[in-house]
PDB file of all heavy atoms in Angstrom:
ATOM      1  N   PRO A   1     -32.811 -29.915  -5.790  1.00  0.00           N
ATOM      2  CA  PRO A   1     -32.107 -29.002  -6.752  1.00  0.00           C
ATOM      3  C   PRO A   1     -32.616 -27.597  -6.705  1.00  0.00           C
ATOM      4  O   PRO A   1     -31.820 -26.604  -6.935  1.00  0.00           O
ATOM      5  CB  PRO A   1     -32.480 -29.682  -8.106  1.00  0.00           C
ATOM      6  CG  PRO A   1     -32.908 -31.037  -7.846  1.00  0.00           C
ATOM      7  CD  PRO A   1     -33.512 -31.009  -6.505  1.00  0.00           C
ATOM      8  N   TYR A   2     -33.921 -27.365  -6.339  1.00  0.00           N
ATOM      9  CA  TYR A   2     -34.447 -25.992  -6.278  1.00  0.00           C
ATOM     10  C   TYR A   2     -33.958 -25.326  -5.100  1.00  0.00           C
ATOM     11  O   TYR A   2     -33.610 -24.075  -5.036  1.00  0.00           O
ATOM     12  CB  TYR A   2     -35.918 -26.062  -6.390  1.00  0.00           C
ATOM     13  CG  TYR A   2     -36.420 -26.752  -7.717  1.00  0.00           C
ATOM     14  CD1 TYR A   2     -36.635 -28.109  -7.738  1.00  0.00           C
ATOM     15  CD2 TYR A   2     -36.526 -26.003  -8.839  1.00  0.00           C
ATOM     16  CE1 TYR A   2     -36.963 -28.737  -8.911  1.00  0.00           C
ATOM     17  CE2 TYR A   2     -36.954 -26.555 -10.046  1.00  0.00           C
ATOM     18  CZ  TYR A   2     -37.143 -27.955 -10.088  1.00  0.00           C
ATOM     19  OH  TYR A   2     -37.559 -28.588 -11.216  1.00  0.00           O
ATOM     20  N   VAL A   3     -33.908 -26.024  -3.934  1.00  0.00           N
ATOM     21  CA  VAL A   3     -33.429 -25.466  -2.690  1.00  0.00           C
ATOM     22  C   VAL A   3     -31.903 -25.116  -2.835  1.00  0.00           C
ATOM     23  O   VAL A   3     -31.535 -23.979  -2.422  1.00  0.00           O
ATOM     24  CB  VAL A   3     -33.667 -26.471  -1.508  1.00  0.00           C
ATOM     25  CG1 VAL A   3     -32.920 -25.926  -0.191  1.00  0.00           C
ATOM     26  CG2 VAL A   3     -35.063 -26.638  -1.258  1.00  0.00           C
ATOM     27  N   ASP A   4     -31.191 -26.022  -3.496  1.00  0.00           N
ATOM     28  CA  ASP A   4     -29.756 -25.745  -3.720  1.00  0.00           C
ATOM     29  C   ASP A   4     -29.526 -24.471  -4.500  1.00  0.00           C
ATOM     30  O   ASP A   4     -28.626 -23.667  -4.195  1.00  0.00           O
ATOM     31  CB  ASP A   4     -29.089 -26.978  -4.377  1.00  0.00           C
ATOM     32  CG  ASP A   4     -28.995 -28.077  -3.409  1.00  0.00           C
ATOM     33  OD1 ASP A   4     -29.162 -28.009  -2.180  1.00  0.00           O
ATOM     34  OD2 ASP A   4     -28.708 -29.299  -3.916  1.00  0.00           O
ATOM     35  N   ALA A   5     -30.313 -24.344  -5.541  1.00  0.00           N
ATOM     36  CA  ALA A   5     -30.227 -23.203  -6.490  1.00  0.00           C
ATOM     37  C   ALA A   5     -30.501 -21.933  -5.750  1.00  0.00           C
ATOM     38  O   ALA A   5     -29.769 -20.839  -5.885  1.00  0.00           O
ATOM     39  CB  ALA A   5     -31.178 -23.298  -7.606  1.00  0.00           C
ATOM     40  N   VAL A   6     -31.628 -21.934  -4.888  1.00  0.00           N
ATOM     41  CA  VAL A   6     -31.900 -20.742  -4.099  1.00  0.00           C
ATOM     42  C   VAL A   6     -30.841 -20.358  -3.127  1.00  0.00           C
ATOM     43  O   VAL A   6     -30.422 -19.249  -3.002  1.00  0.00           O
ATOM     44  CB  VAL A   6     -33.348 -20.890  -3.403  1.00  0.00           C
ATOM     45  CG1 VAL A   6     -33.480 -19.753  -2.405  1.00  0.00           C
ATOM     46  CG2 VAL A   6     -34.437 -20.986  -4.442  1.00  0.00           C
ATOM     47  N   LEU A   7     -30.306 -21.316  -2.451  1.00  0.00           N
ATOM     48  CA  LEU A   7     -29.250 -21.129  -1.511  1.00  0.00           C
ATOM     49  C   LEU A   7     -27.986 -20.518  -2.217  1.00  0.00           C
ATOM     50  O   LEU A   7     -27.284 -19.688  -1.622  1.00  0.00           O
ATOM     51  CB  LEU A   7     -28.862 -22.436  -0.748  1.00  0.00           C
ATOM     52  CG  LEU A   7     -29.838 -22.884   0.361  1.00  0.00           C
ATOM     53  CD1 LEU A   7     -29.399 -24.230   0.813  1.00  0.00           C
ATOM     54  CD2 LEU A   7     -29.907 -21.859   1.445  1.00  0.00           C
ATOM     55  N   SER A   8     -27.731 -20.986  -3.417  1.00  0.00           N
ATOM     56  CA  SER A   8     -26.561 -20.491  -4.122  1.00  0.00           C
ATOM     57  C   SER A   8     -26.715 -19.028  -4.528  1.00  0.00           C
ATOM     58  O   SER A   8     -25.718 -18.305  -4.691  1.00  0.00           O
ATOM     59  CB  SER A   8     -26.274 -21.339  -5.344  1.00  0.00           C
ATOM     60  OG  SER A   8     -27.135 -21.141  -6.400  1.00  0.00           O
ATOM     61  N   ILE A   9     -28.011 -18.613  -4.770  1.00  0.00           N
ATOM     62  CA  ILE A   9     -28.254 -17.269  -5.181  1.00  0.00           C
ATOM     63  C   ILE A   9     -28.354 -16.313  -4.014  1.00  0.00           C
ATOM     64  O   ILE A   9     -27.813 -15.196  -3.977  1.00  0.00           O
ATOM     65  CB  ILE A   9     -29.547 -17.162  -5.995  1.00  0.00           C
ATOM     66  CG1 ILE A   9     -29.387 -18.014  -7.335  1.00  0.00           C
ATOM     67  CG2 ILE A   9     -30.052 -15.780  -6.281  1.00  0.00           C
ATOM     68  CD1 ILE A   9     -30.768 -18.297  -8.081  1.00  0.00           C
ATOM     69  N   PHE A  10     -29.135 -16.689  -3.012  1.00  0.00           N
ATOM     70  CA  PHE A  10     -29.476 -15.787  -1.874  1.00  0.00           C
ATOM     71  C   PHE A  10     -28.577 -16.083  -0.633  1.00  0.00           C
ATOM     72  O   PHE A  10     -28.396 -15.078   0.115  1.00  0.00           O
ATOM     73  CB  PHE A  10     -30.918 -15.957  -1.430  1.00  0.00           C
ATOM     74  CG  PHE A  10     -31.850 -15.487  -2.508  1.00  0.00           C
ATOM     75  CD1 PHE A  10     -32.394 -16.315  -3.493  1.00  0.00           C
ATOM     76  CD2 PHE A  10     -32.271 -14.179  -2.427  1.00  0.00           C
ATOM     77  CE1 PHE A  10     -33.310 -15.901  -4.462  1.00  0.00           C
ATOM     78  CE2 PHE A  10     -33.256 -13.700  -3.418  1.00  0.00           C
ATOM     79  CZ  PHE A  10     -33.713 -14.560  -4.345  1.00  0.00           C
ATOM     80  N   GLY A  11     -28.053 -17.294  -0.485  1.00  0.00           N
ATOM     81  CA  GLY A  11     -27.354 -17.553   0.766  1.00  0.00           C
ATOM     82  C   GLY A  11     -28.275 -17.790   1.838  1.00  0.00           C
ATOM     83  O   GLY A  11     -29.419 -17.264   1.846  1.00  0.00           O
ATOM     84  N   PRO A  12     -27.887 -18.542   2.964  1.00  0.00           N
ATOM     85  CA  PRO A  12     -28.791 -18.859   4.052  1.00  0.00           C
ATOM     86  C   PRO A  12     -29.220 -17.524   4.744  1.00  0.00           C
ATOM     87  O   PRO A  12     -30.311 -17.570   5.321  1.00  0.00           O
ATOM     88  CB  PRO A  12     -27.891 -19.690   5.007  1.00  0.00           C
ATOM     89  CG  PRO A  12     -26.890 -20.271   4.157  1.00  0.00           C
ATOM     90  CD  PRO A  12     -26.589 -19.306   3.005  1.00  0.00           C
ATOM     91  N   SER A  13     -28.424 -16.520   4.692  1.00  0.00           N
ATOM     92  CA  SER A  13     -28.826 -15.239   5.447  1.00  0.00           C
ATOM     93  C   SER A  13     -29.983 -14.562   4.854  1.00  0.00           C
ATOM     94  O   SER A  13     -30.573 -13.624   5.391  1.00  0.00           O
ATOM     95  CB  SER A  13     -27.605 -14.289   5.523  1.00  0.00           C
ATOM     96  OG  SER A  13     -27.246 -13.856   4.222  1.00  0.00           O
ATOM     97  N   ARG A  14     -30.339 -14.912   3.584  1.00  0.00           N
ATOM     98  CA  ARG A  14     -31.482 -14.304   2.908  1.00  0.00           C
ATOM     99  C   ARG A  14     -32.549 -15.291   2.484  1.00  0.00           C
ATOM    100  O   ARG A  14     -33.468 -15.044   1.668  1.00  0.00           O
ATOM    101  CB  ARG A  14     -30.983 -13.553   1.657  1.00  0.00           C
ATOM    102  CG  ARG A  14     -30.155 -12.246   1.876  1.00  0.00           C
ATOM    103  CD  ARG A  14     -31.086 -11.229   2.536  1.00  0.00           C
ATOM    104  NE  ARG A  14     -30.437  -9.948   2.735  1.00  0.00           N
ATOM    105  CZ  ARG A  14     -29.823  -9.576   3.822  1.00  0.00           C
ATOM    106  NH1 ARG A  14     -29.820 -10.375   4.904  1.00  0.00           N
ATOM    107  NH2 ARG A  14     -29.254  -8.347   3.943  1.00  0.00           N
ATOM    108  N   CYS A  15     -32.528 -16.416   3.141  1.00  0.00           N
ATOM    109  CA  CYS A  15     -33.614 -17.437   2.943  1.00  0.00           C
ATOM    110  C   CYS A  15     -34.421 -17.635   4.196  1.00  0.00           C
ATOM    111  O   CYS A  15     -33.897 -17.600   5.326  1.00  0.00           O
ATOM    112  CB  CYS A  15     -32.996 -18.763   2.486  1.00  0.00           C
ATOM    113  SG  CYS A  15     -32.242 -18.774   0.882  1.00  0.00           S
ATOM    114  N   LEU A  16     -35.690 -17.920   4.109  1.00  0.00           N
ATOM    115  CA  LEU A  16     -36.506 -18.207   5.236  1.00  0.00           C
ATOM    116  C   LEU A  16     -37.612 -19.350   4.957  1.00  0.00           C
ATOM    117  O   LEU A  16     -38.030 -19.455   3.810  1.00  0.00           O
ATOM    118  CB  LEU A  16     -37.267 -16.893   5.808  1.00  0.00           C
ATOM    119  CG  LEU A  16     -38.175 -16.090   4.777  1.00  0.00           C
ATOM    120  CD1 LEU A  16     -39.243 -15.455   5.617  1.00  0.00           C
ATOM    121  CD2 LEU A  16     -37.321 -15.064   4.107  1.00  0.00           C
ATOM    122  N   PHE A  17     -37.880 -20.022   6.005  1.00  0.00           N
ATOM    123  CA  PHE A  17     -38.854 -21.116   5.904  1.00  0.00           C
ATOM    124  C   PHE A  17     -40.288 -20.571   5.893  1.00  0.00           C
ATOM    125  O   PHE A  17     -40.611 -19.695   6.566  1.00  0.00           O
ATOM    126  CB  PHE A  17     -38.652 -22.058   7.139  1.00  0.00           C
ATOM    127  CG  PHE A  17     -39.932 -22.916   7.464  1.00  0.00           C
ATOM    128  CD1 PHE A  17     -40.331 -23.813   6.604  1.00  0.00           C
ATOM    129  CD2 PHE A  17     -40.578 -22.696   8.665  1.00  0.00           C
ATOM    130  CE1 PHE A  17     -41.458 -24.613   6.952  1.00  0.00           C
ATOM    131  CE2 PHE A  17     -41.632 -23.469   9.042  1.00  0.00           C
ATOM    132  CZ  PHE A  17     -42.103 -24.455   8.134  1.00  0.00           C
ATOM    133  N   GLY A  18     -41.108 -21.189   5.011  1.00  0.00           N
ATOM    134  CA  GLY A  18     -42.533 -20.967   5.069  1.00  0.00           C
ATOM    135  C   GLY A  18     -43.344 -22.222   4.758  1.00  0.00           C
ATOM    136  O   GLY A  18     -42.837 -22.997   3.852  1.00  0.00           O
ATOM    137  N   SER A  19     -44.415 -22.453   5.428  1.00  0.00           N
ATOM    138  CA  SER A  19     -45.150 -23.735   5.182  1.00  0.00           C
ATOM    139  C   SER A  19     -46.145 -23.601   4.044  1.00  0.00           C
ATOM    140  O   SER A  19     -46.515 -24.636   3.423  1.00  0.00           O
ATOM    141  CB  SER A  19     -45.914 -24.106   6.479  1.00  0.00           C
ATOM    142  OG  SER A  19     -46.920 -23.160   6.724  1.00  0.00           O
ATOM    143  N   ASP A  20     -46.557 -22.386   3.843  1.00  0.00           N
ATOM    144  CA  ASP A  20     -47.780 -22.215   2.968  1.00  0.00           C
ATOM    145  C   ASP A  20     -48.968 -22.889   3.315  1.00  0.00           C
ATOM    146  O   ASP A  20     -49.819 -23.354   2.530  1.00  0.00           O
ATOM    147  CB  ASP A  20     -47.437 -22.435   1.506  1.00  0.00           C
ATOM    148  CG  ASP A  20     -48.358 -21.731   0.493  1.00  0.00           C
ATOM    149  OD1 ASP A  20     -48.996 -20.788   0.892  1.00  0.00           O
ATOM    150  OD2 ASP A  20     -48.518 -22.274  -0.612  1.00  0.00           O
ATOM    151  N   TRP A  21     -49.128 -23.199   4.665  1.00  0.00           N
ATOM    152  CA  TRP A  21     -50.422 -23.839   5.225  1.00  0.00           C
ATOM    153  C   TRP A  21     -51.538 -22.809   5.148  1.00  0.00           C
ATOM    154  O   TRP A  21     -51.310 -21.666   5.402  1.00  0.00           O
ATOM    155  CB  TRP A  21     -50.126 -24.189   6.643  1.00  0.00           C
ATOM    156  CG  TRP A  21     -51.195 -24.876   7.365  1.00  0.00           C
ATOM    157  CD1 TRP A  21     -51.333 -26.236   7.561  1.00  0.00           C
ATOM    158  CD2 TRP A  21     -52.374 -24.284   7.979  1.00  0.00           C
ATOM    159  NE1 TRP A  21     -52.523 -26.452   8.268  1.00  0.00           N
ATOM    160  CE2 TRP A  21     -53.170 -25.298   8.541  1.00  0.00           C
ATOM    161  CE3 TRP A  21     -52.771 -22.950   8.224  1.00  0.00           C
ATOM    162  CZ2 TRP A  21     -54.299 -25.068   9.277  1.00  0.00           C
ATOM    163  CZ3 TRP A  21     -53.868 -22.674   8.931  1.00  0.00           C
ATOM    164  CH2 TRP A  21     -54.630 -23.741   9.426  1.00  0.00           C
ATOM    165  N   PRO A  22     -52.739 -23.265   4.757  1.00  0.00           N
ATOM    166  CA  PRO A  22     -53.179 -24.610   4.519  1.00  0.00           C
ATOM    167  C   PRO A  22     -53.134 -24.999   3.053  1.00  0.00           C
ATOM    168  O   PRO A  22     -53.563 -26.083   2.729  1.00  0.00           O
ATOM    169  CB  PRO A  22     -54.604 -24.607   5.048  1.00  0.00           C
ATOM    170  CG  PRO A  22     -55.042 -23.186   4.692  1.00  0.00           C
ATOM    171  CD  PRO A  22     -53.850 -22.276   4.949  1.00  0.00           C
ATOM    172  N   VAL A  23     -52.521 -24.129   2.180  1.00  0.00           N
ATOM    173  CA  VAL A  23     -52.445 -24.474   0.739  1.00  0.00           C
ATOM    174  C   VAL A  23     -51.680 -25.847   0.643  1.00  0.00           C
ATOM    175  O   VAL A  23     -52.017 -26.722  -0.232  1.00  0.00           O
ATOM    176  CB  VAL A  23     -51.803 -23.444  -0.061  1.00  0.00           C
ATOM    177  CG1 VAL A  23     -51.758 -23.803  -1.586  1.00  0.00           C
ATOM    178  CG2 VAL A  23     -52.532 -22.126   0.112  1.00  0.00           C
ATOM    179  N   CYS A  24     -50.657 -26.018   1.398  1.00  0.00           N
ATOM    180  CA  CYS A  24     -49.809 -27.125   1.338  1.00  0.00           C
ATOM    181  C   CYS A  24     -50.547 -28.490   1.590  1.00  0.00           C
ATOM    182  O   CYS A  24     -50.080 -29.587   1.108  1.00  0.00           O
ATOM    183  CB  CYS A  24     -48.677 -27.083   2.394  1.00  0.00           C
ATOM    184  SG  CYS A  24     -49.206 -27.149   4.140  1.00  0.00           S
ATOM    185  N   LEU A  25     -51.717 -28.392   2.299  1.00  0.00           N
ATOM    186  CA  LEU A  25     -52.425 -29.609   2.597  1.00  0.00           C
ATOM    187  C   LEU A  25     -52.969 -30.431   1.470  1.00  0.00           C
ATOM    188  O   LEU A  25     -53.211 -31.598   1.644  1.00  0.00           O
ATOM    189  CB  LEU A  25     -53.598 -29.297   3.553  1.00  0.00           C
ATOM    190  CG  LEU A  25     -53.206 -28.602   4.933  1.00  0.00           C
ATOM    191  CD1 LEU A  25     -54.440 -28.235   5.648  1.00  0.00           C
ATOM    192  CD2 LEU A  25     -52.315 -29.516   5.748  1.00  0.00           C
ATOM    193  N   VAL A  26     -53.008 -29.860   0.246  1.00  0.00           N
ATOM    194  CA  VAL A  26     -53.356 -30.655  -0.891  1.00  0.00           C
ATOM    195  C   VAL A  26     -52.236 -31.582  -1.288  1.00  0.00           C
ATOM    196  O   VAL A  26     -52.437 -32.554  -2.021  1.00  0.00           O
ATOM    197  CB  VAL A  26     -53.718 -29.777  -2.096  1.00  0.00           C
ATOM    198  CG1 VAL A  26     -54.984 -28.820  -1.807  1.00  0.00           C
ATOM    199  CG2 VAL A  26     -52.524 -28.905  -2.579  1.00  0.00           C
ATOM    200  N   ALA A  27     -50.991 -31.408  -0.772  1.00  0.00           N
ATOM    201  CA  ALA A  27     -49.905 -32.276  -1.114  1.00  0.00           C
ATOM    202  C   ALA A  27     -49.222 -32.873   0.092  1.00  0.00           C
ATOM    203  O   ALA A  27     -48.532 -33.858  -0.072  1.00  0.00           O
ATOM    204  CB  ALA A  27     -48.892 -31.468  -1.933  1.00  0.00           C
ATOM    205  N   ALA A  28     -49.353 -32.235   1.236  1.00  0.00           N
ATOM    206  CA  ALA A  28     -48.597 -32.759   2.431  1.00  0.00           C
ATOM    207  C   ALA A  28     -49.087 -32.058   3.679  1.00  0.00           C
ATOM    208  O   ALA A  28     -49.565 -30.971   3.674  1.00  0.00           O
ATOM    209  CB  ALA A  28     -47.111 -32.410   2.267  1.00  0.00           C
ATOM    210  N   ASP A  29     -48.963 -32.746   4.809  1.00  0.00           N
ATOM    211  CA  ASP A  29     -49.317 -32.157   6.091  1.00  0.00           C
ATOM    212  C   ASP A  29     -48.141 -31.266   6.536  1.00  0.00           C
ATOM    213  O   ASP A  29     -47.158 -31.189   5.969  1.00  0.00           O
ATOM    214  CB  ASP A  29     -49.719 -33.188   7.133  1.00  0.00           C
ATOM    215  CG  ASP A  29     -48.557 -34.161   7.549  1.00  0.00           C
ATOM    216  OD1 ASP A  29     -47.334 -33.713   7.421  1.00  0.00           O
ATOM    217  OD2 ASP A  29     -48.806 -35.263   7.955  1.00  0.00           O
ATOM    218  N   TYR A  30     -48.463 -30.512   7.644  1.00  0.00           N
ATOM    219  CA  TYR A  30     -47.573 -29.414   8.090  1.00  0.00           C
ATOM    220  C   TYR A  30     -46.174 -30.039   8.358  1.00  0.00           C
ATOM    221  O   TYR A  30     -45.145 -29.560   7.944  1.00  0.00           O
ATOM    222  CB  TYR A  30     -48.094 -28.774   9.271  1.00  0.00           C
ATOM    223  CG  TYR A  30     -47.341 -27.440   9.636  1.00  0.00           C
ATOM    224  CD1 TYR A  30     -47.824 -26.214   9.246  1.00  0.00           C
ATOM    225  CD2 TYR A  30     -46.179 -27.538  10.302  1.00  0.00           C
ATOM    226  CE1 TYR A  30     -47.235 -25.056   9.567  1.00  0.00           C
ATOM    227  CE2 TYR A  30     -45.426 -26.324  10.577  1.00  0.00           C
ATOM    228  CZ  TYR A  30     -45.993 -25.107  10.271  1.00  0.00           C
ATOM    229  OH  TYR A  30     -45.323 -23.970  10.510  1.00  0.00           O
ATOM    230  N   GLN A  31     -46.162 -31.102   9.120  1.00  0.00           N
ATOM    231  CA  GLN A  31     -44.885 -31.620   9.616  1.00  0.00           C
ATOM    232  C   GLN A  31     -44.128 -32.227   8.417  1.00  0.00           C
ATOM    233  O   GLN A  31     -42.862 -32.096   8.343  1.00  0.00           O
ATOM    234  CB  GLN A  31     -45.141 -32.791  10.577  1.00  0.00           C
ATOM    235  CG  GLN A  31     -45.469 -32.269  12.038  1.00  0.00           C
ATOM    236  CD  GLN A  31     -45.593 -33.351  13.016  1.00  0.00           C
ATOM    237  OE1 GLN A  31     -46.710 -33.901  13.162  1.00  0.00           O
ATOM    238  NE2 GLN A  31     -44.637 -33.707  13.736  1.00  0.00           N
ATOM    239  N   SER A  32     -44.816 -32.713   7.445  1.00  0.00           N
ATOM    240  CA  SER A  32     -44.076 -33.287   6.254  1.00  0.00           C
ATOM    241  C   SER A  32     -43.349 -32.144   5.442  1.00  0.00           C
ATOM    242  O   SER A  32     -42.253 -32.366   4.947  1.00  0.00           O
ATOM    243  CB  SER A  32     -45.057 -34.021   5.404  1.00  0.00           C
ATOM    244  OG  SER A  32     -45.514 -35.136   5.937  1.00  0.00           O
ATOM    245  N   VAL A  33     -44.023 -31.011   5.374  1.00  0.00           N
ATOM    246  CA  VAL A  33     -43.407 -29.854   4.670  1.00  0.00           C
ATOM    247  C   VAL A  33     -42.186 -29.383   5.418  1.00  0.00           C
ATOM    248  O   VAL A  33     -41.115 -29.189   4.806  1.00  0.00           O
ATOM    249  CB  VAL A  33     -44.455 -28.642   4.667  1.00  0.00           C
ATOM    250  CG1 VAL A  33     -43.766 -27.413   4.076  1.00  0.00           C
ATOM    251  CG2 VAL A  33     -45.628 -29.028   3.758  1.00  0.00           C
ATOM    252  N   LYS A  34     -42.232 -29.246   6.768  1.00  0.00           N
ATOM    253  CA  LYS A  34     -41.070 -28.871   7.536  1.00  0.00           C
ATOM    254  C   LYS A  34     -39.972 -29.905   7.438  1.00  0.00           C
ATOM    255  O   LYS A  34     -38.774 -29.633   7.289  1.00  0.00           O
ATOM    256  CB  LYS A  34     -41.436 -28.550   8.918  1.00  0.00           C
ATOM    257  CG  LYS A  34     -40.260 -28.033   9.751  1.00  0.00           C
ATOM    258  CD  LYS A  34     -40.780 -27.472  11.071  1.00  0.00           C
ATOM    259  CE  LYS A  34     -39.616 -26.985  12.025  1.00  0.00           C
ATOM    260  NZ  LYS A  34     -38.775 -28.062  12.555  1.00  0.00           N
ATOM    261  N   ARG A  35     -40.323 -31.149   7.544  1.00  0.00           N
ATOM    262  CA  ARG A  35     -39.350 -32.267   7.466  1.00  0.00           C
ATOM    263  C   ARG A  35     -38.688 -32.299   6.092  1.00  0.00           C
ATOM    264  O   ARG A  35     -37.471 -32.565   6.031  1.00  0.00           O
ATOM    265  CB  ARG A  35     -40.028 -33.574   7.785  1.00  0.00           C
ATOM    266  CG  ARG A  35     -39.075 -34.720   8.058  1.00  0.00           C
ATOM    267  CD  ARG A  35     -39.851 -36.001   8.361  1.00  0.00           C
ATOM    268  NE  ARG A  35     -40.834 -35.841   9.392  1.00  0.00           N
ATOM    269  CZ  ARG A  35     -42.167 -35.953   9.292  1.00  0.00           C
ATOM    270  NH1 ARG A  35     -42.691 -36.356   8.123  1.00  0.00           N
ATOM    271  NH2 ARG A  35     -42.880 -35.790  10.356  1.00  0.00           N
ATOM    272  N   ALA A  36     -39.388 -32.032   5.070  1.00  0.00           N
ATOM    273  CA  ALA A  36     -38.794 -32.070   3.701  1.00  0.00           C
ATOM    274  C   ALA A  36     -37.731 -30.925   3.599  1.00  0.00           C
ATOM    275  O   ALA A  36     -36.669 -31.173   2.966  1.00  0.00           O
ATOM    276  CB  ALA A  36     -39.865 -31.893   2.685  1.00  0.00           C
ATOM    277  N   LEU A  37     -38.035 -29.774   4.118  1.00  0.00           N
ATOM    278  CA  LEU A  37     -37.040 -28.654   4.054  1.00  0.00           C
ATOM    279  C   LEU A  37     -35.835 -29.069   4.917  1.00  0.00           C
ATOM    280  O   LEU A  37     -34.678 -28.766   4.572  1.00  0.00           O
ATOM    281  CB  LEU A  37     -37.590 -27.362   4.410  1.00  0.00           C
ATOM    282  CG  LEU A  37     -36.705 -26.095   4.327  1.00  0.00           C
ATOM    283  CD1 LEU A  37     -36.134 -26.092   2.859  1.00  0.00           C
ATOM    284  CD2 LEU A  37     -37.404 -24.850   4.668  1.00  0.00           C
ATOM    285  N   ASP A  38     -36.074 -29.616   6.101  1.00  0.00           N
ATOM    286  CA  ASP A  38     -34.972 -30.098   6.994  1.00  0.00           C
ATOM    287  C   ASP A  38     -34.104 -31.023   6.208  1.00  0.00           C
ATOM    288  O   ASP A  38     -32.827 -30.908   6.235  1.00  0.00           O
ATOM    289  CB  ASP A  38     -35.632 -30.755   8.168  1.00  0.00           C
ATOM    290  CG  ASP A  38     -35.781 -29.959   9.374  1.00  0.00           C
ATOM    291  OD1 ASP A  38     -34.985 -28.949   9.523  1.00  0.00           O
ATOM    292  OD2 ASP A  38     -36.542 -30.234  10.163  1.00  0.00           O
ATOM    293  N   ASP A  39     -34.668 -31.977   5.476  1.00  0.00           N
ATOM    294  CA  ASP A  39     -33.956 -32.917   4.630  1.00  0.00           C
ATOM    295  C   ASP A  39     -33.005 -32.189   3.704  1.00  0.00           C
ATOM    296  O   ASP A  39     -31.845 -32.483   3.519  1.00  0.00           O
ATOM    297  CB  ASP A  39     -34.841 -33.871   3.916  1.00  0.00           C
ATOM    298  CG  ASP A  39     -35.516 -34.856   4.846  1.00  0.00           C
ATOM    299  OD1 ASP A  39     -35.134 -35.056   6.002  1.00  0.00           O
ATOM    300  OD2 ASP A  39     -36.470 -35.557   4.391  1.00  0.00           O
ATOM    301  N   CYS A  40     -33.645 -31.194   3.015  1.00  0.00           N
ATOM    302  CA  CYS A  40     -32.927 -30.459   1.912  1.00  0.00           C
ATOM    303  C   CYS A  40     -31.819 -29.616   2.517  1.00  0.00           C
ATOM    304  O   CYS A  40     -30.902 -29.204   1.755  1.00  0.00           O
ATOM    305  CB  CYS A  40     -33.841 -29.604   1.092  1.00  0.00           C
ATOM    306  SG  CYS A  40     -34.999 -30.558   0.072  1.00  0.00           S
ATOM    307  N   LEU A  41     -31.838 -29.260   3.751  1.00  0.00           N
ATOM    308  CA  LEU A  41     -30.905 -28.375   4.445  1.00  0.00           C
ATOM    309  C   LEU A  41     -29.927 -29.156   5.309  1.00  0.00           C
ATOM    310  O   LEU A  41     -29.272 -28.546   6.161  1.00  0.00           O
ATOM    311  CB  LEU A  41     -31.683 -27.234   5.214  1.00  0.00           C
ATOM    312  CG  LEU A  41     -32.568 -26.370   4.403  1.00  0.00           C
ATOM    313  CD1 LEU A  41     -33.279 -25.381   5.402  1.00  0.00           C
ATOM    314  CD2 LEU A  41     -31.790 -25.570   3.317  1.00  0.00           C
ATOM    315  N   SER A  42     -29.869 -30.468   5.223  1.00  0.00           N
ATOM    316  CA  SER A  42     -29.129 -31.283   6.133  1.00  0.00           C
ATOM    317  C   SER A  42     -27.666 -30.901   6.120  1.00  0.00           C
ATOM    318  O   SER A  42     -26.920 -31.177   7.123  1.00  0.00           O
ATOM    319  CB  SER A  42     -29.329 -32.727   5.843  1.00  0.00           C
ATOM    320  OG  SER A  42     -28.888 -33.007   4.511  1.00  0.00           O
ATOM    321  N   GLY A  43     -27.125 -30.296   5.105  1.00  0.00           N
ATOM    322  CA  GLY A  43     -25.716 -30.016   4.971  1.00  0.00           C
ATOM    323  C   GLY A  43     -25.346 -28.670   5.683  1.00  0.00           C
ATOM    324  O   GLY A  43     -24.154 -28.258   5.760  1.00  0.00           O
ATOM    325  N   LEU A  44     -26.349 -27.938   6.137  1.00  0.00           N
ATOM    326  CA  LEU A  44     -26.061 -26.558   6.731  1.00  0.00           C
ATOM    327  C   LEU A  44     -25.598 -26.720   8.214  1.00  0.00           C
ATOM    328  O   LEU A  44     -25.881 -27.697   8.867  1.00  0.00           O
ATOM    329  CB  LEU A  44     -27.367 -25.693   6.655  1.00  0.00           C
ATOM    330  CG  LEU A  44     -27.474 -24.913   5.416  1.00  0.00           C
ATOM    331  CD1 LEU A  44     -27.488 -25.699   4.171  1.00  0.00           C
ATOM    332  CD2 LEU A  44     -28.772 -24.088   5.507  1.00  0.00           C
ATOM    333  N   THR A  45     -24.986 -25.677   8.684  1.00  0.00           N
ATOM    334  CA  THR A  45     -24.571 -25.636  10.133  1.00  0.00           C
ATOM    335  C   THR A  45     -25.774 -25.311  10.887  1.00  0.00           C
ATOM    336  O   THR A  45     -26.873 -24.819  10.388  1.00  0.00           O
ATOM    337  CB  THR A  45     -23.499 -24.502  10.308  1.00  0.00           C
ATOM    338  OG1 THR A  45     -24.163 -23.182  10.070  1.00  0.00           O
ATOM    339  CG2 THR A  45     -22.362 -24.695   9.368  1.00  0.00           C
TER     340      THR A  45
END
């Protein structure tokens, strides 16, 4: 829902991926962070 809200406000042309590594490691490894965003963006071209 948060990814969808950001896309509706900024559009894909104004959004960019960031891992926030190594802060992310308290909750997920690097690949899991990227894979989660991939999942959330599955409807994009």
